[in-house]
Amino acid sequence: MNLISNIRINPNKVTLYGLILLFLMFSPMFLSAQEIQKCRVIILTDVENEPDDTESLVRLLLYSNMMDIKGIISTTSVHMNKEVHPESVQKVINAYGKVREHLLRHEPGFPEAISLLQLVKHGLPEYGMGGIGTGKDSQGSDWIIKILDENDPRPLWICVWGGPNTLAQALYKIRQTR
């Protein structure tokens, strides 16, 4: 007796399985057709305090095609309370610029190093609340306000890897002037 001739196929199950298969085949097409908005981010980093922020910055740049980086601001920290190091951020971005073409072979959208370099700013080299108040503005705090003022409905995410007083100064100035 032939085994294949004994198999009975339920037409309802075939239709159901066929529909599921079609859905699975075509759903990625519909998902990719949707507009995916990149998150706007500003990074506050006490780079040079210890290796972790430099390592995090490298990782950020490896994912820079998936977000809209609006600023990288060098800040102070508890262990580095009178200095900021934007030149260290620039050094990492310059290294990224050397490998960007390789990254683009795998995925599109990696920003040019020159455009990222223009986003590097520095906070006030003053730690904690001593860096907040009248006359305590910095490139970084002014930059946060400038980006907040952009006509962009997306939220602005501010990642605090280092001293938050640059963000606090921006909020202080907004409260005082608006």
Side-chain angles (χ1 to χ4, degrees):
M1 191 183 230
N2 187 346
L3 278 176
I4 295 178
S5 64
N6 289 337
I7 297 175
R8 297 196 184 246
I9 299 174
N10 183 336
N12 293 333
K13 284 187 178 178
V14 170
T15 303
L16 176 64
Y17 291 140
L19 288 173
I20 291 172
L21 182 62
L22 284 172
F23 175 76
L24 292 174
M25 286 173 43
F26 289 106
S27 62
M29 181 176 68
F30 294 117
L31 289 175
S32 65
Q34 294 177 357
E35 182 179 331
I36 297 174
Q37 290 189 343
K38 293 181 178 182
C39 293
R40 297 186 315 152
V41 298
I42 289 179
I43 308 298
L44 303 180
T45 176
D46 61 343
V47 67
E48 289 298 321
N49 174 43
E50 52 192 50
D52 70 325
D53 278 35
T54 303
E55 294 161 355
S56 294
L57 186 56
V58 169
R59 188 172 179 99
L60 171 79
L61 295 174
L62 292 175
Y63 287 94
S64 62
N65 66 322
M66 303 179 96
M67 61 194 83
D68 186 4
I69 299 173
K70 294 303 216 175
I72 304 173
I73 302 171
S74 181
T75 66
T76 59
S77 71
V78 69
H79 299 291
M80 194 175 66
N81 53 28
K82 293 289 184 193
E83 55 189 284
V84 295
H85 293 280
E87 74 283 355
S88 296
V89 174
Q90 293 164 341
K91 181 179 174 183
V92 172
I93 293 172
N94 284 327
Y96 157 83
K98 294 177 183 176
V99 300
R100 178 178 173 265
E101 291 303 317
H102 297 288
L103 295 171
L104 288 168
R105 290 181 191 163
H106 302 282
E107 240 180 280
F110 287 94
E112 292 188 25
I114 191 84
S115 66
L116 291 171
L117 287 169
Q118 294 170 355
L119 302 175
V120 177
K121 309 297 177 193
H122 60 82
L124 195 66
E126 181 78 33
Y127 178 68
M129 294 301 289
I132 302 165
T134 304
K136 303 283 185 164
D137 300 326
S138 66
Q139 261 191 347
S141 62
D142 289 342
W143 188 256
I144 291 170
I145 294 169
K146 178 185 181 307
I147 300 302
L148 282 170
D149 284 342
E150 288 180 346
N151 185 17
D152 192 327
R154 298 174 297 161
L156 177 62
W157 298 93
I158 300 182
C159 304
V160 182
W161 301 354
N165 65 350
T166 302
L167 171 59
Q169 177 60 25
L171 297 174
Y172 171 85
K173 185 172 183 176
I174 288 170
R175 180 188 284 172
Q176 298 302 311
T177 60
R178 300 178 187 190

